[in-house]
Amino acid sequence: MVTARRALVRRPSPHLADGLLTHLERTPVDADLALAQWQGYVDALHAEGWETVEVPPAPEHPDSAFVEDTVVMYGDAAVLARPGAPERAGEVAGTEGVLRDLGYRVVAITGPGTLDGGDVLKHDGVVWVGLNGGPGGRTNADGIAQLADHLAPQGARVETVPLSRALHLKSAVTALPDGTVVGWDPVVDDPGVWASYEPVPEEPGAHVVVLDERTVLMSSAAPLTAASYEARGLRVVAVDIGEFEKLEGCVTCLSVRLRHTP
């Protein structure tokens, strides 16, 4: 394998406004503005030297722009998700086809296991997976066990993290390039899971996409957090994804980074 700077993306459905909601009240979503914001997100990746690969659109699936939930990548392995919301099951096939064409080794979570990619946070050989046993939980214990089996040959250590206040684990926390886990305290069940954890002052600031060892992409709705990241020496690329945030989406949901080419 060689290092790559490539990411999967999927353009939003015209029915985005009908997407599932768990923790937020429904508010109007402008599909045209969402498409423009999605294009701005893609353009930001391109400007940072990332190539994007579009998964075929799935207009019949309102949540399909949140492509992160369809797969977990680890080296040359693509672990196809089995969404915890049955309405989203049809989103996986398009991602599978693209990854097979690109030459990745494809395996899958099977029933009764469920797994959403948004529940999976990876850093330096550790894979944390959010488990929410309550209403709206998307990933179950069987899905986590299957993921651990699929990643064990590559030396990954899978750890389960309690989750009850956010849709996905990465709705609550993500990791900076140095491994510091950042989170929005009101939705983090147990910050003690991580040896290095720091709270952020704004909820969207807890969501970063690491583009390289000193650059993160994040929402423009968290200027105080962006300033704190810049103060620690990071370069911030801010994008407006406000229409997706109305549907519990964040910057991580809109892409899947393919850091290695098989």
Side-chain angles (χ1 to χ4, degrees):
M1 292 186 297
V2 296
T3 301
R5 291 169 65 87
R6 186 162 56 177
L8 299 183
V9 295
R10 191 180 221 163
R11 65 183 55 239
S13 163
H15 306 294
L16 176 69
D18 298 324
L20 299 174
L21 282 173
T22 304
H23 295 276
L24 296 179
E25 294 294 327
R26 192 170 299 278
T27 56
V29 173
D30 184 325
D32 291 335
L33 178 56
L35 179 58
Q37 291 177 347
W38 177 85
Q39 188 61 57
Y41 179 99
V42 171
D43 291 345
L45 290 175
H46 292 168
E48 294 299 317
W50 285 72
E51 172 193 357
T52 57
V53 179
E54 279 201 45
V55 175
E60 69 278 19
H61 292 289
D63 289 299
S64 54
F66 303 132
V67 67
E68 175 187 47
D69 290 324
T70 62
V71 68
V72 175
M73 300 300 302
Y74 202 92
D76 71 336
V79 183
L80 298 175
R82 186 169 182 266
E87 300 93 328
R88 300 192 64 190
E91 297 176 28
V92 177
T95 300
E96 176 181 6
V98 169
L99 291 170
R100 287 192 185 279
D101 288 347
L102 291 173
Y104 288 92
R105 180 171 56 87
V106 177
V107 295
I109 303 298
T110 59
T114 61
L115 181 83
D116 275 19
D119 276 323
V120 181
L121 175 64
K122 301 168 289 183
H123 183 78
D124 197 24
V126 183
V127 179
W128 295 280
V129 188
L131 176 62
N132 183 349
R138 301 292 179 86
T139 295
N140 65 20
D142 188 273
I144 296 173
Q146 290 185 46
L147 179 67
D149 287 343
H150 286 313
L151 300 187
Q154 299 188 69
R157 184 174 87 249
V158 174
E159 296 188 4
T160 301
V161 178
L163 178 71
S164 66
R165 306 172 193 171
L167 174 61
H168 289 123
L169 179 62
K170 283 199 280 189
S171 301
V173 299
T174 54
L176 300 180
D178 67 359
T180 300
V181 173
V182 291
W184 172 240
D185 271 353
V187 297
V188 178
D189 284 61
D190 182 10
V193 167
W194 298 280
S196 179
Y197 170 86
E198 294 182 13
V200 298
E202 302 146 310
E203 184 169 7
H207 316 135
V208 301
V209 175
V210 174
L211 299 182
D212 59 41
E213 67 280 356
R214 59 178 294 270
T215 307
V216 296
L217 181 146
M218 63 180 291
S219 169
S220 59
L224 296 177
T225 310
S228 73
Y229 293 158
E230 290 170 341
R232 68 193 297 154
L234 291 172
R235 190 167 66 87
V236 171
V237 177
V239 292
D240 181 1
I241 57 162
E243 297 306 291
F244 299 97
E245 289 169 337
K246 294 176 182 177
L247 293 162
E248 298 176 285
C250 63
V251 288
T252 69
C253 305
L254 294 172
S255 63
V256 178
R257 286 159 296 165
L258 309 177
R259 296 187 183 90
H260 300 283
T261 299

